[in-house]
Amino acid sequence: KDIAKLQEEFSSRNLLQVNAISLSPTDVFELHDALLPQSLAADSLQSLGLSGTTIREIMGSWKSADSGNEAMPGMMGMMGMGSMGGDDSFLLDLDVGHQALIWLNDLESGGFPYNRWSPSVREFMTPAWPNQLRFIAKNLYRLVLVADPTSLEGLSMLTAIRELVQQNAPVTAAVIFDLREKSDDEDKSESDAEAPLSVCSDSEWPAALLDEEWAKSLRKKCDAKNKGLSKEEASDEISLREGIARTFYILAGNKDYGSTAAWEYISEIANLAENKSPKGRVTKAKARKAFRKTASKSSLKKKIKTVFAMAFKSEFSQEYADVSALVASSKSWIARKGLGNSKYTTILNGKLLQEVPPMAFRRMIMTSLLMQQMSFQQAVYQEELTDDTDIDEYVRTKPNTFSRINTDILNEDAKTIDSLKFPTEPISYLPLPIEAPDSSMSFTPLTMWIVSDFSTTLGRSLIAAGLDYWESGSVVPSLPSRVAIFDNPSSEQSPIAELLAETITATLANSKALAILSALLRSIQDEDILTEGLEAIKKTYGTTEVDSNTLLCGEFCKKSLEIQPGEMGIVCNTRLVKVSQDIIQSKEEIEDQLFEDLRLLDAFIGNFLRLEDLTSALNNEKSGAEESKADQILAVSHIMSKVPRSKGDSETFPDSEALTNVLIYSNPDAFFSVRAVIDPLTHDGQKLSSILLLLRDALNVDLTVYLSPSLEISEVPLKRFYRFAVGGWSPDESTMNGEIPFAADGARVRAGGLVFRNIRSRALLTMSMQVPDGWQVASKLAPHDLDNILLDDLSTRSTVEYNVEHLLLEGQCLDADKQEPPAGLQLELANVSNSRIQDTIVMYNLGYWQLKAGPGVWRVRVPPNRHGDIYSIEGSQKDHSGAEFKLFPVYSFQSAPSLLRMHRRKGMERADLLEEVDEGGAEDTPGGLLDKISSLLSGNGDGSKDKVSTKGKKKSKIIGGGGDTVHVFSLASGQLYERFLKIMMQSVVKNTDSKVKFWFLSNFLSPQFKEFVPMMAAKLGFEVEFVTYQWPKWLHRQTTRQRIIWGYKILFLDVLFPLNLRRIIYIDADQVVRGDVKELWDMDLKGSPYGYTPFCDSNTKTKGFRFWDSGYWKSHLRGKPYHISALYVVDLARFRRMRAGDTLRSVYDNLSADPNSLANLDQDLPNYAQHTVPIFSLPQEWLWCETWCSMETLPTAKTIDLCNNPLTKKPKLEVARELLPEWTIYDERHKSMS
């Protein structure tokens, strides 16, 4: 009953949770990576005097907030499509009614085609296909593009968003020009002159708090000084950005041509920038040419020269006053929103989306819309969203929506200040404000330090913003905050700075005085008038004893904060955000923006540091004064900011005391609370049980285990004996007594290992290793046949040793321009001396690639052929010869997938990567359905291709398909099949006049065979090479040895061999060859990527066993023959160009989900797929099998397969001796070589 209850609550029968953080129950490396920083943090927290209970609670709260990440699905989530920033939960208030936003459409206007859409949000509840957007005539999705009109990317995005609207996507789109100057500008006109700042503001005068007569006197002085200000002489020309924006607005407002002309103008600039020299750059000359071409079609054609020139003059015609207003409002909107200085930014319903190439924009937007649609559907279902709801207000009032988003604040990797470097002297904090927020906290968990230069206008604006923030209290209502202000002058304190410091110090104990000071700093800029106001506040409210030096930052700023004199910043719970001093705006705007930055920082820290949870945990600590607890949480904030946060939800475990199926290892003082659900009769359960023992022995844990075995069993659930070892530890090694074998100095006592003992079994066993992904492991010492172990035959202890032969470099490759894998792209692995070690191709399946490496630094590059002509690697380096490569260090035993982003070179945007040229010069292009699909996927559906010159290129040496050496591939596992393999090799060499090279999959071969074959090759005169490949973790895995071997026969033919190997002949190990395989080597496969021999039908005795003649296979084959997989020929060059490997893996992944499909995997898969991956039928004599072929055809057979006969059921060795006189000769010969 308890087990059934437990299984109702949990989706899995094997779960692991450490400090309320869910971890993989079987991944030791993930466990290590999660626990190591937590263990170090726990030691630091203990040094603060915190109890084990509090430490566990703090650790358990350290999880990511639910961010609603919009990442695309894929092997590693590396498609680069999702939300930007460290935390997606902060939204930007778009201020949709702002003048600066140029809305391209309105779904609620009633115009075509929106009048055909449903106007009701109930449409979300109607049935629809998965991932289908609902078309509703409401402005549900507000999409805003901020674009730099002088960047090619910005122009491309402007065109893309207009096309999105024209294609009737259910979005309401707006654009706004980013007119800010960039540090990397090359072609720009004179910048705008800085507008003078008035000495006094018209708002927020402190008259209500100070004497009214004094306030009037102050205003009079301000007015006099304001009238005396004269505008600085502006530059004659404005920036290129502003000129383009002005021109766009002029065209858009033209009565004859309107917005169409404006968008043509943008399109023309983009076209000229992309194709005319200097390519990739926008210049004023190109903007002028685009304007002439566009305006010549409108009534502006008579005024082309004057209008364009006027658009670039600082003195703008009164005729276009509305254009000047648009430009000014655009600058204001962008400055107030705090957006990063990128070439473009896209915002969907307040969420900042990650920057992607323009070609991937539509896909990214569609994915984001689907995620937003799910949110709307839930809101409609819960009746939060109805037809009467104001959509804009609903979106704007979502939690954590801010009028400004400073992306620097949301950077989770920002600098934090070590709590050990805090000032040793007491810090003077501001008192609680007049209207302090209610809180049940006995201390202030949020600490804000404002570091400012009191002598500057910006510095005083920062103080004013800080005082405003202090007055308003924390953004998080339940978390009060304390604020301190420091002066960090660039040199000696100026008189005004010294007076301000004295005023702040003198009024620190008076909340009312600080409020007046805040109003004064907001209102006054002129130093003379400000001095008068500061003196009045100090005189009225200040204390007699004033030591303003307590506000000087000094050495604390330099050493702890690493802020130079004159620099400014904000430190919130040890997190530092510097304040830019390049702000050129009005004083009021600066203060408003700084205040919003403080609010965002407050909210972000509360969310990022999980302050509510941390303070709740610390509140339970019995001892500690208010100030010491506030300082303590600063130290905790610093410690925990270094700990990676757990992703995802955590399971809630039931009360262990209420259940009987629970094992408890209690330790109240433990730092780690471990909870696990385990089904001991599963493979994962076997490993998890060992991991739990390891945690118990290695860490200070409180352990609770919930047993959850299957309640209904139809067969024996476990069919293996399993042992687990990590490092030198194994729970089954009695000599270790369950302890990790490390000496007192930390050195390991002995190498890792494990022992199988006291096993009673008469079954035939197979030994295999279960190792982490990314390891290639092979047996080094194996005195027995590891595929056929009979324990009763082992009289003494037997030792088997394994080696880690390779650590994989693997990952995903992406065409960054098209946002899809560059299928078939060749990659090479080279060492630091640039010697090529290995090559491979990129699969279309997730863009996966794999290369065998080891500890060290490696180079990954595209070879200097057609592939290198088309693609370059993003972030690559160049050697002395100019060859491009990207460095990949291998420094860990944990496999970490890598992302390779590729870019097409200029002029190669439409080149066909898989087009090849023969040695004779004729194009050898693949044909058929797969090539049409490939063409469509690569964007060449119109058949046009960019040509790549091969003149002067050094061609790779071509092997196979016409060379002097015939290449034969085979594989085997177990001593019996290795014996067969040796005989097959002899029969091939004896009957083939050409040179022969054998390729063997090393994954399953014994150490003895690998040692013997080179010696045999030397005696018989053939070549041999071993190849290996790691089954990718994203591809459905087989569990039995035989089916794994079958998979390797067919699934990885395109990546298993060197890329200059053009053809391979596969021959099963249990075959004897009587013909010259050179005939197969030279055979024309008629355009098919491979050739197989059809099954014989001349043996009438086994007619009833011909499964392909009836039922499913007869229907599926539609008259095509069913082929046997014991021998086949592969044209590797065509196989790769047709992407046949990708097709076979996709078909396999779909079919293998059904355990009843692909009974004979290596044979069923190519036969099933032959309608898309065609098979050339080899002549019948090339494969004879006793089961299907008559004895009369044996004399003409060129290969004999020792297949199992369902009628006789004779062992293969017996059949070989009876049918093949030469078999015994071959067998004796290889024995004599041993």
Side-chain angles (χ1 to χ4, degrees):
K1 183 179 178 181
D2 288 344
I3 292 174
K5 181 181 177 182
L6 195 67
Q7 292 176 357
E8 286 179 5
E9 294 193 28
F10 297 114
S11 57
S12 173
R13 292 207 178 97
N14 292 289
L15 297 169
L16 177 62
Q17 196 177 93
V18 180
N19 285 340
I21 298 171
S22 295
L23 300 170
S24 167
T26 58
D27 190 334
V28 177
F29 284 113
E30 180 187 332
L31 184 65
H32 171 271
D33 290 347
L35 294 187
L36 179 60
Q38 286 209 29
S39 179
L40 296 173
D43 290 339
S44 298
L45 293 174
Q46 187 186 35
S47 68
L48 297 177
L50 302 182
S51 65
T53 302
T54 299
I55 292 173
R56 288 201 305 273
E57 194 173 341
I58 290 173
M59 293 294 186
S61 70
W62 199 241
K63 294 174 289 189
S64 292
D66 182 17
S67 62
N69 198 323
E70 298 178 2
M72 287 282 288
M75 180 181 67
M76 294 158 285
M78 295 190 297
M79 298 302 288
M81 299 177 189
S83 300
M84 69 177 293
D87 198 319
D88 297 334
S89 57
F90 296 99
L91 305 176
L92 178 66
D93 181 1
L94 293 176
D95 195 3
V96 297
H98 198 280
Q99 178 187 9
L101 297 176
I102 306 171
W103 293 101
L104 309 186
N105 62 333
D106 181 2
L107 273 62
E108 299 175 6
S109 64
F112 181 83
Y114 311 132
N115 56 0
R116 295 186 176 183
W117 299 358
S118 169
S120 174
V121 294
R122 298 299 303 174
E123 182 72 13
F124 282 126
M125 297 292 99
T126 59
W129 293 104
N131 296 329
Q132 178 181 330
L133 281 173
R134 307 305 208 286
F135 288 78
I136 301 173
K138 282 187 177 293
N139 296 322
L140 292 161
Y141 308 103
R142 295 275 188 180
L143 178 66
V144 173
L145 170 67
V146 182
D148 177 0
T150 62
S151 74
L152 190 56
E153 295 87 347
L155 292 168
S156 298
M157 290 297 291
L158 285 166
T159 303
I161 200 168
R162 185 172 184 244
E163 289 176 351
L164 195 69
V165 172
Q166 290 178 326
Q167 293 164 3
N168 299 325
V171 298
T172 308
V175 297
I176 183 169
F177 292 110
D178 185 354
L179 306 181
R180 293 171 294 179
E181 298 300 321
K182 307 290 193 297
S183 59
D184 58 348
D185 282 349
E186 295 178 8
D187 181 56
K188 58 184 179 183
S189 304
E190 293 295 322
S191 301
D192 295 325
E194 178 182 350
L197 300 173
S198 63
V199 298
C200 302
S201 168
D202 288 332
S203 61
E204 300 186 74
W205 282 74
L209 298 174
L210 282 177
D211 180 78
E212 188 174 345
E213 290 301 318
W214 181 86
K216 288 180 180 179
S217 171
L218 200 62
R219 178 182 288 277
K220 199 171 182 179
K221 292 179 181 179
C222 285
D223 289 342
K225 290 213 171 189
N226 281 334
K227 288 178 182 177
L229 285 173
S230 62
K231 191 171 183 179
E232 294 180 17
E233 188 173 340
S235 170
D236 187 47
E237 282 226 344
I238 48 85
S239 71
L240 178 61
R241 287 182 181 82
E242 185 168 337
I244 291 175
R246 284 178 169 187
T247 310
F248 177 90
Y249 295 142
I250 291 172
L251 285 171
N254 180 259
K255 60 181 180 180
D256 294 334
Y257 214 41
S259 63
T260 305
W263 287 107
E264 275 191 22
Y265 174 60
I266 293 296
S267 180
E268 285 295 334
I269 296 177
N271 182 55
L272 292 169
E274 186 172 5
N275 298 305
K276 298 296 182 181
S277 180
K279 289 187 176 182
R281 285 182 54 198
V282 178
T283 64
K284 186 175 179 181
K286 292 178 182 179
R288 181 185 296 109
K289 188 173 182 179
F291 179 77
R292 285 175 178 169
K293 186 172 182 179
T294 305
S296 63
K297 305 173 186 177
S298 73
S299 61
L300 291 173
K301 57 187 176 183
K302 295 181 180 179
K303 300 191 294 181
I304 285 178
K305 290 184 179 179
T306 56
V307 169
F308 185 81
M310 181 178 58
F312 278 80
K313 292 289 185 181
S314 57
E315 292 295 334
F316 207 35
S317 170
Q318 188 61 35
E319 179 184 355
Y320 298 109
D322 55 339
V323 173
S324 297
L326 273 172
V327 170
S329 63
S330 297
K331 293 179 179 179
S332 174
W333 189 91
I334 292 174
R336 287 195 299 110
K337 297 305 176 185
L339 301 178
N341 216 5
S342 58
K343 294 176 180 177
Y344 63 87
T345 303
T346 47
I347 311 164
L348 179 62
N349 283 357
K351 181 169 287 189
L352 275 66
L353 303 179
Q354 190 178 42
E355 187 173 315
V356 298
M359 293 186 69
F361 170 71
R362 184 178 179 86
R363 185 184 301 181
M364 182 267 289
I365 287 297
M366 288 301 132
T367 303
S368 301
L369 289 175
L370 286 170
M371 297 300 294
Q372 292 267 342
Q373 178 172 275
M374 291 172 59
S375 175
F376 282 131
Q377 284 174 321
Q378 185 178 7
V380 172
Y381 177 76
Q382 295 174 348
E383 297 183 350
E384 295 175 2
L385 181 63
T386 68
D387 290 335
D388 297 327
T389 304
D390 183 327
I391 302 297
D392 291 327
E393 185 67 14
Y394 172 80
V395 173
R396 191 185 69 81
T397 54
K398 281 189 174 182
N400 278 349
T401 299
F402 289 81
S403 61
R404 174 179 167 86
I405 295 288
N406 184 337
T407 51
D408 290 339
I409 290 174
L410 302 186
N411 177 15
E412 291 188 1
D413 297 323
K415 177 180 175 58
T416 58
I417 311 304
D418 191 342
S419 56
L420 297 177
K421 297 180 180 179
F422 289 172
T424 54
E425 64 276 6
I427 296 175
S428 299
Y429 289 98
L430 305 183
L432 288 176
I434 298 173
E435 297 182 4
D438 294 331
S439 174
S440 59
M441 291 289 167
S442 60
F443 60 97
T444 50
L446 266 172
T447 297
M448 188 84 74
W449 296 338
I450 297 174
V451 181
S452 172
D453 184 350
F454 289 11
S455 62
T456 66
T457 301
L458 178 61
R460 292 192 291 273
S461 295
L462 179 57
I463 297 172
L467 290 172
D468 284 350
Y469 164 80
W470 159 79
E471 272 194 282
S472 66
S474 171
V475 174
V476 185
S478 60
L479 298 181
S481 59
R482 57 179 182 171
V483 179
I485 299 174
F486 295 93
D487 184 18
N488 184 35
S490 56
S491 56
E492 293 294 325
Q493 273 189 319
S494 65
I496 186 69
E498 190 172 352
L499 176 60
L500 178 56
E502 289 176 357
T503 305
I504 293 174
T505 308
T507 57
L508 266 178
N510 193 317
S511 297
K512 182 178 180 180
L514 289 172
I516 297 173
L517 176 61
S518 172
L520 182 69
L521 291 174
R522 285 197 306 270
S523 306
I524 309 299
Q525 180 160 330
D526 182 79
E527 291 192 2
D528 293 337
I529 303 174
L530 181 60
T531 299
E532 184 179 333
L534 292 175
E535 291 284 6
I537 295 173
K538 180 182 171 184
K539 180 179 179 181
T540 306
Y541 295 102
T543 58
T544 53
E545 296 294 330
V546 174
D547 181 11
S548 62
N549 288 328
T550 58
L551 300 187
L552 280 173
C553 204
E555 293 300 310
F556 170 54
C557 277
K558 293 178 184 177
K559 294 183 178 179
S560 299
L561 304 185
E562 298 180 11
I563 290 181
Q564 298 303 312
E567 286 188 331
M568 290 173 274
I570 306 163
V571 181
C572 187
N573 278 47
T574 76
R575 181 184 179 84
L576 171 64
V577 178
K578 290 187 178 181
V579 174
S580 171
Q581 300 188 48
D582 298 328
I583 305 175
I584 305 176
Q585 295 166 55
S586 71
K587 185 173 184 296
E588 292 77 10
E589 287 179 318
I590 292 172
E591 289 169 7
D592 289 344
Q593 291 168 22
L594 290 172
F595 177 72
E596 287 300 317
D597 284 351
L598 287 168
R599 290 184 67 247
L600 178 65
L601 181 59
D602 177 329
F604 176 78
I605 291 297
N607 189 63
F608 176 67
L609 291 177
R610 312 287 292 190
L611 276 185
E612 288 193 76
D613 294 324
L614 291 185
T615 51
S616 175
L618 287 173
N619 237 14
N620 295 327
E621 290 286 306
K622 302 299 182 184
S623 59
E626 178 180 337
E627 281 300 312
S628 64
K629 277 195 175 182
D631 291 339
Q632 196 175 54
I633 204 166
L634 279 182
V636 172
S637 297
H638 171 69
I639 292 167
M640 295 306 296
S641 67
K642 304 299 182 183
V643 180
R645 298 193 293 172
S646 167
K647 305 290 183 183
D649 298 329
S650 297
E651 301 278 1
T652 301
F653 283 78
D655 182 7
S656 58
E657 295 181 1
L659 299 174
T660 57
N661 57 321
V662 179
L663 303 175
I664 298 176
Y665 179 79
S666 180
N667 184 359
D669 297 325
F671 296 159
F672 297 95
S673 173
V674 178
R675 301 289 180 267
V677 175
I678 184 170
D679 181 352
L681 298 180
T682 61
H683 287 181
D684 285 350
Q686 283 184 307
K687 187 170 185 178
L688 178 56
S689 61
S690 298
I691 289 176
L692 293 175
L693 289 172
L694 170 64
L695 292 175
R696 183 200 66 185
D697 294 345
L699 295 174
N700 183 14
V701 301
D702 181 82
L703 176 63
T704 303
V705 181
Y706 299 80
L707 299 177
S708 180
S710 299
L711 297 177
E712 296 181 3
I713 297 176
S714 58
E715 60 178 341
V716 179
L718 282 180
K719 299 176 182 177
R720 71 175 189 178
F721 300 98
Y722 177 82
R723 297 292 183 269
F724 170 82
V726 56
W729 180 91
S730 170
D732 305 290
E733 179 59 88
S734 62
T735 59
M736 299 180 189
N737 297 318
E739 296 181 358
I740 300 177
F742 286 89
D745 61 356
R748 193 170 67 179
V749 175
R750 49 173 295 201
L754 49 82
V755 175
F756 288 89
R757 57 159 55 89
N758 300 325
I759 295 177
R760 298 289 180 262
S761 175
R762 294 185 179 181
L764 190 66
L765 303 177
T766 297
M767 175 171 281
S768 62
M769 293 279 285
Q770 188 182 58
V771 298
D773 293 317
W775 289 19
Q776 281 195 338
V777 174
S779 56
K780 178 184 177 183
L781 174 66
H784 302 284
D785 184 355
L786 300 183
D787 274 31
N788 301 280
I789 300 174
L790 283 171
L791 295 178
D792 290 344
D793 293 345
L794 301 180
S795 56
T796 60
R797 178 175 176 142
S798 180
T799 301
V800 179
E801 292 184 11
Y802 287 88
N803 266 4
V804 179
E805 295 192 330
H806 300 286
L807 298 175
L808 296 184
L809 270 178
E810 60 178 342
Q812 189 177 39
C813 187
L814 192 67
D815 183 322
D817 302 315
K818 296 187 175 182
Q819 289 293 298
E820 65 181 24
L825 177 68
Q826 297 177 7
L827 298 176
E828 290 183 345
L829 181 73
N831 56 24
V832 289
S833 61
N834 218 26
S835 299
R836 187 177 70 86
I837 306 299
Q838 186 199 354
D839 56 20
T840 190
I841 64 171
V842 174
M843 298 178 182
Y844 188 73
N845 313 111
L846 299 174
Y848 180 75
W849 57 273
Q850 178 187 124
L851 292 163
K852 297 182 289 291
V857 178
W858 301 88
R859 295 180 175 187
V860 174
R861 65 193 185 194
V862 182
N865 53 19
R866 175 182 176 78
H867 294 242
D869 289 336
I870 296 176
Y871 278 105
S872 64
I873 304 177
E874 183 180 289
S876 61
Q877 305 177 39
K878 289 185 179 181
D879 60 16
H880 63 280
S881 67
E884 295 179 354
F885 62 89
K886 189 167 185 178
L887 288 176
F888 284 91
V890 178
Y891 53 84
S892 169
F893 283 106
Q894 184 177 11
S895 176
S898 303
L899 176 63
L900 272 178
R901 293 176 63 88
M902 314 300 297
H903 291 276
R904 286 179 174 257
R905 300 185 189 275
K906 288 289 183 183
M908 296 292 109
E909 290 82 3
R910 303 181 69 188
D912 184 356
L913 180 67
L914 299 182
E915 176 187 319
E916 284 289 346
V917 179
D918 287 340
E919 289 178 306
E923 287 189 5
D924 181 19
T925 56
L929 175 64
L930 285 181
D931 302 301
K932 295 177 182 177
I933 296 173
S934 173
S935 178
L936 290 172
L937 289 173
S938 60
N940 295 327
D942 60 356
S944 62
K945 302 165 185 171
D946 294 310
K947 302 297 182 183
V948 180
S949 173
T950 56
K951 185 177 180 180
K953 294 287 182 183
K954 182 178 179 181
K955 290 185 176 293
S956 301
K957 182 182 177 183
I958 303 300
I959 301 177
D964 295 332
T965 303
V966 176
H967 295 260
V968 177
F969 169 52
S970 193
L971 45 75
S973 179
Q975 291 180 0
L976 175 62
Y977 275 82
E978 288 179 353
R979 180 180 176 185
F980 286 143
L981 190 55
K982 295 171 186 176
I983 291 167
M984 184 272 284
M985 293 160 62
Q986 293 179 67
S987 69
V988 170
V989 174
K990 181 178 184 299
N991 293 288
T992 302
D993 293 333
S994 303
K995 295 178 182 178
V996 178
K997 180 172 181 177
F998 290 99
W999 298 79
F1000 297 123
L1001 187 72
S1002 66
N1003 298 36
F1004 310 105
L1005 294 173
S1006 67
Q1008 294 89 332
F1009 182 86
K1010 294 176 187 177
E1011 184 178 348
F1012 170 78
V1013 167
M1015 179 182 64
M1016 181 180 179
K1019 288 187 177 182
L1020 298 184
F1022 62 83
E1023 297 179 70
V1024 65
E1025 188 167 335
F1026 297 98
V1027 292
T1028 183
Y1029 199 79
Q1030 187 86 328
W1031 196 293
K1033 56 188 173 185
W1034 51 265
L1035 189 65
H1036 181 80
R1037 297 191 182 187
Q1038 297 295 325
T1039 55
T1040 62
R1041 175 66 61 90
Q1042 185 58 60
R1043 291 186 64 81
I1044 294 172
I1045 292 173
W1046 284 346
Y1048 273 106
K1049 276 179 64 174
I1050 186 64
L1051 290 175
F1052 310 112
L1053 294 172
D1054 52 343
V1055 291
L1056 197 54
F1057 306 102
L1059 297 181
N1060 59 354
L1061 182 60
R1062 308 279 292 192
R1063 183 170 284 214
I1064 198 82
I1065 300 171
Y1066 175 83
I1067 304 176
D1068 258 354
D1070 59 346
Q1071 284 195 83
V1072 175
V1073 177
R1074 288 180 171 177
D1076 188 337
V1077 295
K1078 185 68 161 60
E1079 181 183 336
L1080 290 174
W1081 185 254
D1082 295 332
M1083 189 171 291
D1084 183 3
L1085 301 183
K1086 307 297 183 184
S1088 296
Y1090 44 33
Y1092 286 74
T1093 307
F1095 267 68
C1096 292
D1097 57 7
S1098 56
N1099 187 356
T1100 57
K1101 296 179 182 179
T1102 57
K1103 185 175 181 179
F1105 294 96
R1106 295 177 194 165
F1107 56 88
W1108 63 90
D1109 274 351
S1110 61
Y1112 171 80
W1113 277 110
K1114 182 178 181 180
S1115 172
H1116 179 77
L1117 291 172
R1118 301 199 296 271
K1120 293 181 181 291
Y1122 187 93
H1123 302 81
I1124 191 168
S1125 63
L1127 176 141
Y1128 52 86
V1129 184
V1130 186
D1131 182 342
L1132 289 172
R1134 181 164 291 278
F1135 189 90
R1136 290 174 181 133
R1137 291 199 303 276
M1138 291 181 67
R1139 300 216 303 254
D1142 293 323
T1143 302
L1144 291 172
R1145 284 184 290 270
S1146 295
V1147 173
Y1148 162 78
D1149 223 22
N1150 287 325
L1151 295 180
S1152 60
D1154 180 1
N1156 298 315
S1157 68
L1158 300 177
N1160 298 295
L1161 195 163
D1162 60 320
Q1163 197 164 265
D1164 287 348
L1165 181 58
N1167 279 287
Y1168 178 89
Q1170 64 177 305
H1171 296 297
T1172 50
V1173 184
I1175 298 175
F1176 174 77
S1177 295
L1178 301 176
Q1180 194 68 65
E1181 66 265 19
W1182 271 105
L1183 202 146
W1184 187 93
C1185 169
E1186 181 188 17
T1187 305
W1188 313 110
C1189 305
S1190 65
M1191 294 300 296
E1192 289 77 15
T1193 58
L1194 177 60
T1196 60
K1198 296 182 178 179
T1199 68
I1200 293 92
D1201 181 43
L1202 299 177
C1203 55
N1204 296 310
N1205 192 327
L1207 297 177
T1208 63
K1209 295 183 174 60
K1210 289 183 180 180
K1212 292 192 176 187
L1213 285 175
E1214 185 179 335
V1215 174
R1217 294 188 183 102
E1218 290 178 0
L1219 287 178
L1220 307 171
E1222 68 270 37
W1223 196 89
T1224 303
I1225 298 172
Y1226 292 144
D1227 195 33
E1228 293 300 325
R1229 181 187 294 173
H1230 87 74
K1231 289 179 180 178
S1232 67
M1233 297 180 192
S1234 301

